[in-house]
Amino acid sequence: QNSMVLSAAIFITLIGLIMYLHFVKIDQESLLVIGSLGIQVTSSYASGKESTTFIEMSQVKDVVINEAIHMQKVIYYLCILLRDPGDPHGVSEVVPLFQSSKPRLDCLIEVYKSCQEILEQRKTAPQSS
Protein backbone atom coordinates (compact mmCIF):
# COMPACT_ATOMS: atom_id res chain seq x y z
CA GLN A 1 0.00 0.00 0.00
CA ASN A 2 2.79 2.44 0.92
CA SER A 3 4.65 1.67 -2.29
CA MET A 4 1.52 2.47 -4.33
CA VAL A 5 1.15 5.83 -2.58
CA LEU A 6 4.85 6.58 -3.14
CA SER A 7 4.60 5.55 -6.81
CA ALA A 8 1.54 7.76 -7.30
CA ALA A 9 3.30 10.71 -5.64
CA ILE A 10 6.35 10.28 -7.87
CA PHE A 11 4.16 9.97 -10.98
CA ILE A 12 2.18 13.12 -10.11
CA THR A 13 5.42 15.01 -9.40
CA LEU A 14 6.87 13.99 -12.77
CA ILE A 15 3.71 15.01 -14.61
CA GLY A 16 3.76 18.35 -12.78
CA LEU A 17 7.41 18.91 -13.70
CA ILE A 18 6.78 18.11 -17.36
CA MET A 19 3.80 20.48 -17.45
CA TYR A 20 5.87 23.20 -15.76
CA LEU A 21 8.66 22.84 -18.33
CA HIS A 22 6.23 22.75 -21.24
CA PHE A 23 3.82 25.54 -20.28
CA VAL A 24 5.52 27.80 -17.70
CA LYS A 25 9.34 27.81 -17.76
CA ILE A 26 10.45 30.26 -20.46
CA ASP A 27 14.11 29.97 -21.51
CA GLN A 28 14.31 32.75 -24.06
CA GLU A 29 12.28 35.74 -25.22
CA SER A 30 12.88 37.67 -28.42
CA LEU A 31 11.50 40.76 -30.11
CA LEU A 32 11.60 41.38 -33.87
CA VAL A 33 10.49 44.80 -35.10
CA ILE A 34 9.94 45.37 -38.82
CA GLY A 35 8.81 48.91 -39.50
CA SER A 36 6.72 48.09 -42.57
CA LEU A 37 5.01 45.01 -41.08
CA GLY A 38 4.84 44.84 -37.32
CA ILE A 39 6.28 43.43 -34.12
CA GLN A 40 6.83 39.74 -33.44
CA VAL A 41 7.27 38.53 -29.87
CA THR A 42 8.55 34.96 -29.42
CA SER A 43 8.87 32.97 -26.20
CA SER A 44 10.84 29.70 -26.17
CA TYR A 45 9.95 27.28 -23.39
CA ALA A 46 12.32 24.83 -21.67
CA SER A 47 10.61 21.93 -23.45
CA GLY A 48 11.43 23.42 -26.87
CA LYS A 49 7.92 24.71 -27.51
CA GLU A 50 7.69 28.21 -28.97
CA SER A 51 4.91 30.76 -28.66
CA THR A 52 4.78 33.63 -31.15
CA THR A 53 2.61 36.73 -31.13
CA PHE A 54 2.46 39.18 -34.03
CA ILE A 55 1.20 42.76 -33.70
CA GLU A 56 0.55 44.72 -36.89
CA MET A 57 2.37 48.05 -37.03
CA SER A 58 -0.92 49.87 -37.69
CA GLN A 59 -2.03 48.82 -34.17
CA VAL A 60 1.14 50.07 -32.46
CA LYS A 61 0.86 53.50 -30.90
CA ASP A 62 4.20 53.53 -29.08
CA VAL A 63 6.81 51.50 -27.22
CA VAL A 64 7.58 52.64 -23.67
CA ILE A 65 9.54 51.63 -20.60
CA ASN A 66 7.17 51.28 -17.67
CA GLU A 67 7.96 50.82 -14.02
CA ALA A 68 6.27 48.92 -11.24
CA ILE A 69 6.94 48.64 -7.54
CA HIS A 70 7.09 45.06 -6.31
CA MET A 71 7.75 44.54 -2.62
CA GLN A 72 10.69 46.91 -2.02
CA LYS A 73 12.03 46.94 -5.58
CA VAL A 74 11.34 49.03 -8.65
CA ILE A 75 10.99 46.80 -11.70
CA TYR A 76 11.31 48.21 -15.22
CA TYR A 77 9.75 46.53 -18.23
CA LEU A 78 9.18 47.29 -21.88
CA CYS A 79 5.59 47.71 -23.12
CA ILE A 80 3.85 48.11 -26.44
CA LEU A 81 0.92 50.53 -26.39
CA LEU A 82 -1.84 49.56 -28.83
CA ARG A 83 -4.06 52.13 -30.52
CA ASP A 84 -7.70 52.41 -29.54
CA PRO A 85 -9.72 52.09 -32.78
CA GLY A 86 -12.46 54.34 -31.39
CA ASP A 87 -10.18 57.09 -30.04
CA PRO A 88 -7.15 58.08 -32.18
CA HIS A 89 -5.34 59.54 -29.14
CA GLY A 90 -6.25 56.70 -26.77
CA VAL A 91 -4.60 53.43 -25.83
CA SER A 92 -6.68 50.25 -25.95
CA GLU A 93 -4.17 47.83 -24.46
CA VAL A 94 -0.72 47.66 -22.88
CA VAL A 95 1.32 44.59 -23.90
CA PRO A 96 4.26 43.92 -21.54
CA LEU A 97 7.40 42.34 -23.01
CA PHE A 98 10.19 40.24 -21.47
CA GLN A 99 8.11 39.20 -18.46
CA SER A 100 10.18 36.10 -17.72
CA SER A 101 13.70 37.27 -18.49
CA LYS A 102 13.36 40.62 -16.66
CA PRO A 103 16.34 42.38 -18.32
CA ARG A 104 18.17 45.20 -16.52
CA LEU A 105 17.24 48.81 -17.22
CA ASP A 106 20.34 49.49 -19.33
CA CYS A 107 19.41 46.58 -21.63
CA LEU A 108 15.81 47.79 -21.86
CA ILE A 109 17.02 51.27 -22.81
CA GLU A 110 19.02 49.84 -25.73
CA VAL A 111 16.00 47.89 -27.01
CA TYR A 112 13.77 50.93 -26.44
CA LYS A 113 16.08 53.20 -28.47
CA SER A 114 16.16 50.71 -31.34
CA CYS A 115 12.37 50.42 -31.34
CA GLN A 116 11.98 54.20 -31.28
CA GLU A 117 14.33 54.56 -34.26
CA ILE A 118 12.21 52.14 -36.26
CA LEU A 119 8.96 53.83 -35.20
CA GLU A 120 10.38 57.26 -36.12
CA GLN A 121 11.45 55.98 -39.55
CA ARG A 122 7.93 54.71 -40.07
CA LYS A 123 6.41 58.08 -39.08
CA THR A 124 8.70 60.08 -41.39
CA ALA A 125 8.38 57.68 -44.34
CA PRO A 126 5.76 58.64 -46.94
CA GLN A 127 2.58 56.63 -46.47
CA SER A 128 1.53 54.60 -49.53
CA SER A 129 -2.13 53.98 -50.16
Side-chain angles (χ1 to χ4, degrees), residues 14-25:
L14 285 175
I15 295 296
L17 180 62
I18 290 170
M19 290 180 67
Y20 172 77
L21 290 176
H22 191 69
F23 294 110
V24 179
K25 174 77 171 98

Side-chain angles (χ1 to χ4, degrees), residues 6-19:
L6 183 60
S7 296
I10 291 172
F11 180 74
I12 290 171
T13 303
L14 285 175
I15 295 296
L17 180 62
I18 290 170
M19 290 180 67

